[in-house]
Amino acid sequence: MGFNILDVAITGQSSRDACPGALQVHPAADGPLARVRLPGGDLTGAQLGVLAAAGDGVLELTSRANVQVRGVRDPAGFAAAVAAAGLLPSPSHERVRNVLASPLDGSAAFRGVVRALDEAICAAPELAGLSGRFLFAVDDGSGDVAGLGADVLLMSRGDRFAVVAGNTDLRLRLPPAEAVHEAVKVAQNFLRVSDGAWRIPEGAFEGVPADLPKPRTSGYVGDFGETTGALVPLGRLTTRQAAVLAEAAWLRVTPWRTVLVPKGTRLPDGLVTDPGDPWSHVSACTGSPGCAKSLSDVQADAHPIGPPVHWSGCARRCGRPRGEVVDLIATPSGYQRSTT
Ligand code: SF4
């Protein structure tokens, strides 16, 4: 595998990676904020209940299919509870288990690849040094997560997987176990020469440009066979809503702020199952009062405008989905539309 050291060194970043985790909580304006990684978006109802019980009443679904807990009352107790619930298999690697996976594919074979990748990441000691922003993805061939900007992508091609590093197809077509091994090797090779860079930059690996689909901007609302997808507007789930969802036999968080559950599962008020609902195309950062940088109460201001829109309290645009999305950014004189 070829690797261009110069390209990575140029994009190196020296500032500390303060990406929150279950153990490294972020001091948000509304209290400690924890982020729990859910490889493939999978969690049980009981695990959701544990997360909901730890905060001030709000869980946030992230664009990487993870869950944030706001206002964690007791960070040490939270870490213990998360570990006891089976959501902290590797304390050293807890922030680097960022693994997206095609949500609708619940087959044992596909989920097995996702699990194997997570386990292989945790079994590689040096990968604890990855940034919390480094992203793996496993796509079942549908292309739904392939366009979401993963650093290392395994793309199903029949019974094999293509391996993509950054935007480069490494021209490998490997059986699942070898593909998982290769994904870890890519991350290890990147780390060796990354010089502090958080993400794999363009052109870092030798290969051919990957033919990746456009990013989806919303996903899986309504019935899909025996699975129902429910939109969680703005990705905010109250404790009360979570308590109802916790009755589900299984849950899968998607990168589009939707939750998949078995068809027939009781859903809480406020979740949306109409695929035509305009809230499918609305996302927002935390804004005030949770974020001290915000110039507005973004969550209260956000509403559908027609095309996919992301509302932000400042120019950082946290949580912005990839793809063609209108940005509305708060300024002292109201929201401004940004085209960058
Ligand atoms: S976009 Fe700005 S205001 Fe919104 S959460 Fe991020 S830093 Fe805070």
Side-chain angles (χ1 to χ4, degrees):
M1 175 193 321
F3 196 92
N4 186 336
I5 294 174
L6 182 62
D7 284 345
V8 175
I10 287 170
T11 56
Q13 301 199 27
S14 55
S15 55
R16 194 176 76 87
D17 174 15
C19 203
L23 301 176
Q24 177 177 301
V25 298
H26 168 68
D30 58 351
L33 167 76
R35 184 177 301 161
V36 178
R37 268 67 177 184
L38 305 174
D42 287 310
L43 82 168
T44 65
Q47 289 171 331
L48 180 65
V50 167
L51 299 182
D56 72 353
V58 177
L59 299 179
E60 294 175 331
L61 312 186
T62 77
S63 59
R64 290 174 159 204
N66 294 319
V67 172
Q68 288 185 165
V69 183
R70 302 205 73 89
V72 174
R73 287 185 295 274
D74 169 16
F78 174 74
V82 166
L87 289 167
L88 196 55
S90 172
S92 58
H93 289 65
E94 62 112 352
R95 294 187 315 132
V96 303
R97 300 170 65 230
N98 295 301
V99 183
L100 293 179
S102 297
L104 274 189
D105 195 333
S107 68
F110 182 72
R111 290 287 138 193
V113 174
V114 177
R115 242 188 339 270
L117 177 57
D118 177 33
E119 290 168 2
I121 293 166
C122 293
E126 65 276 36
L127 292 194
L130 286 171
S131 158
R133 290 166 175 78
F134 196 90
L135 182 63
F136 295 88
V138 187
D139 192 294
D140 65 354
S142 64
D144 57 0
V145 298
L148 297 184
D151 294 279
V152 185
L153 166 69
L154 299 183
M155 181 77 174
S156 177
R157 301 281 188 220
D159 59 354
R160 295 188 167 235
F161 284 88
V163 183
V164 177
N167 62 343
T168 302
D169 184 340
L170 303 186
R171 291 178 291 197
L172 303 169
R173 301 294 182 266
L174 301 173
E178 289 175 38
V180 165
H181 179 74
E182 192 65 28
V184 169
K185 213 164 96 185
V186 168
Q188 289 169 324
N189 285 346
F190 164 69
L191 258 186
R192 260 180 226 122
V193 294
S194 61
D195 191 31
W198 290 341
R199 311 289 311 271
I200 293 181
E202 273 191 29
F205 283 82
E206 290 175 6
V208 296
D211 182 20
L212 299 176
K214 277 188 167 180
R216 290 179 69 112
T217 51
S218 64
Y220 304 125
V221 178
D223 287 338
F224 303 87
E226 292 306 304
T227 298
T228 295
L231 173 72
V232 178
L234 301 181
R236 283 171 78 87
L237 200 58
T238 65
T239 304
R240 201 171 288 221
Q241 290 171 320
V244 176
L245 269 183
E247 298 168 4
W250 56 264
L251 298 123
R252 190 167 298 139
V253 177
T254 83
W256 304 281
R257 277 92 173 188
T258 59
V259 178
L260 305 188
V261 292
K263 191 173 177 181
T265 298
R266 184 164 79 99
L267 293 173
D269 290 344
L271 269 59
V272 174
T273 55
D274 174 3
D277 192 286
W279 282 93
S280 289
H281 300 295
V282 186
S283 59
C285 79
T286 298
S288 306
C291 177
K293 293 191 176 71
S294 183
L295 293 172
S296 189
D297 184 348
V298 183
Q299 300 271 332
D301 299 338
H303 58 263
I305 63 165
V309 58
H310 184 70
W311 296 73
S312 302
C314 79
R316 287 183 66 176
R317 297 183 282 180
C318 298
R320 183 192 191 278
R322 292 178 69 87
E324 290 168 20
V325 176
V326 173
D327 282 292
L328 291 176
I329 301 174
T331 72
S333 53
Y335 283 89
Q336 282 191 353
R337 197 170 172 134
S338 167
T339 52
T340 58

